[in-house]
Amino acid sequence: MARCVFPLNHLPPCFHSKDGKQWGQGFVTSVRPMNPKRLSNACKVRATLNAADKSIGIPHQWYNIIADLPVKPPPPLHPKTYEPIKPEDLSPLFPDELIRQEMTSDRFIDIPDEVLDVYKLWRPTPLIRAKRLERLLDTPARIYYKYEGVSPAGSHKPNSAVPQAWYNLQEGVKNVVTETGAGQWGSALAFACSIFGLGCEVWQVRASYDSKPYRRLMMQTWGAAVHPSPSMITEAGQRILKEDPSSPGSLGIAISEAVEVAAKNADTKYCLGSVLNHVLLHQSVIGEECLKQLEAIGETPNVIIGCTGGGSNFAGLSFPFLREKLNKKINPVIRAVEPTACPSLTQGVYTYDYGDTAGMTPLMKMHTLGHDFVPDPIHAGGLRYHGMAPLISHVFDLGLMEAISIPQTECFHGAIQFARSEGLIPAPEPTHAIAATIREALHCRETGEAKVILTAMCGHGHFDLPAYEKYLQGNMVDLSFSEEKVKASLANIPQMTT
């Protein structure tokens, strides 16, 4: 008989319909009986991958997708003149080397030895075959995930936090400020600043500040000062709170607050955890490692899946593979997955818009829901951003990738399947990629295709257990996407000929 993964008397209410039957899109509750031979094979797969991980060194260069795109991306514009941004326009916010990386078309950028030394604390990260999940789904597909949760901060974010902190240190900066949604970027920057002796101040989106206290404590443990956003500390925060005293905040608002503080203090610079070119550049270590790891075991991905909010994790994994696709060496489908409550790629408009709510940042051409848009407080706080990285937006506009959106209940369905088969509890953000991976794997079961599916597992969910509790108790709901709210927000974006 098949073994039930979820004992029926322990299933949360959301798994039952009124007639007592179990439900859930793509949710499988039984698997074939496990036998020692199959378990042994799974162990052999894991051992082979671990050996491959150890034989693959850390990349010594970051990769820049701009060098290989058939059409160069539109430039960012000055928020007042609407002219292309010049390096000196960015100098109040960023150190010179990061500005150079933001604007360069060079294919590769050398990683400083000092950064590599810190990377060695957790890199290379493991590539793992999800053999038990495959068995649970009874799929002929082979599922691999690149796991970034082994970093000190528990996510992919230190890949950029470390070099950003180091470059600021080299130019004599004393303090850095930033925003954070779920707290993963804030904790990564706090960690990096503790390594290099920089002051760190973080504006954490109010909804996450309240729901994820241990992320806040993690940042404070590494020495960062943490404020809920919107706050009364900045003019941008004061304006928002005057309009809505109970505002849950958003990444756009938190960015406005951090940028305001950086612009007013000569010894302080701003750090961003996603969206910008230099951040996506730093994250390319993920895909560069993964290319070599898959090559070492003789695999080539047919489908590459990652979650998208601002886009750093997705770009980090997919862009090196996109390079190989553009060079006609491989031909994978590259698929971004976003929340249905904040669907910038699938429902947004591709146009110039501000990266923050107050309109202090350069104008970037991106898929946007409007810089005034405040998403509903979904549990994937790191995906609650009104826009998409300009580079990802450009690649999407060129037709080089595709995008879908998935509601959070289906994502947590997949997360439970993943946790109870693979053992790792995903952060809410990568549950979107996991849900899309399960959809693809079940499609393979129907068609009989033995596709190789590669997915991005960008962090663990150890500090997100209240979200799992809400789901397991049957209290999680799918938050709606308000077309009226987006229409109102889009009406406030700058009108220009693009």
Side-chain angles (χ1 to χ4, degrees), residues 286-349:
I286 302 172
E288 293 292 354
E289 279 181 7
C290 196
L291 272 169
K292 293 180 180 178
Q293 289 168 324
L294 285 171
E295 182 182 351
I297 58 174
E299 290 279 41
T300 301
N302 301 110
V303 184
I304 299 171
I305 298 172
C307 64
T308 47
S312 64
N313 158 69
F314 175 80
L317 178 65
S318 66
F319 278 4
F321 286 91
L322 179 56
R323 176 189 67 222
E324 302 303 296
K325 182 175 182 175
L326 291 169
N327 290 329
K328 302 187 184 305
K329 294 180 179 179
I330 58 176
N331 191 32
V333 172
I334 299 175
R335 184 175 300 146
V337 191
E338 57 187 5
T340 55
C342 192
S344 58
L345 278 174
T346 56
Q347 298 288 334
V349 176

Side-chain angles (χ1 to χ4, degrees), residues 208-330:
S208 294
Y209 183 92
D210 293 336
S211 65
K212 302 178 191 294
Y214 295 110
R215 281 283 176 196
R216 169 167 45 86
L217 289 169
M218 197 177 193
M219 291 182 258
Q220 293 169 334
T221 297
W222 277 318
V226 187
H227 313 290
S229 174
S231 74
M232 293 299 293
I233 298 173
T234 67
E235 294 178 10
Q238 291 169 17
R239 284 196 298 271
I240 296 296
L241 289 173
K242 184 177 181 180
E243 296 172 4
D244 181 8
S246 61
S247 172
S250 71
L251 280 169
I253 295 170
I255 290 172
S256 293
E257 296 203 81
V259 167
E260 179 182 322
V261 171
K264 290 181 177 180
N265 294 275
D267 64 348
T268 301
K269 296 290 186 182
Y270 170 65
C271 294
L272 186 63
S274 193
V275 179
L276 296 182
N277 295 355
H278 68 269
V279 182
L280 275 56
L281 175 84
H282 300 156
Q283 293 294 349
S284 66
V285 294
I286 302 172
E288 293 292 354
E289 279 181 7
C290 196
L291 272 169
K292 293 180 180 178
Q293 289 168 324
L294 285 171
E295 182 182 351
I297 58 174
E299 290 279 41
T300 301
N302 301 110
V303 184
I304 299 171
I305 298 172
C307 64
T308 47
S312 64
N313 158 69
F314 175 80
L317 178 65
S318 66
F319 278 4
F321 286 91
L322 179 56
R323 176 189 67 222
E324 302 303 296
K325 182 175 182 175
L326 291 169
N327 290 329
K328 302 187 184 305
K329 294 180 179 179
I330 58 176

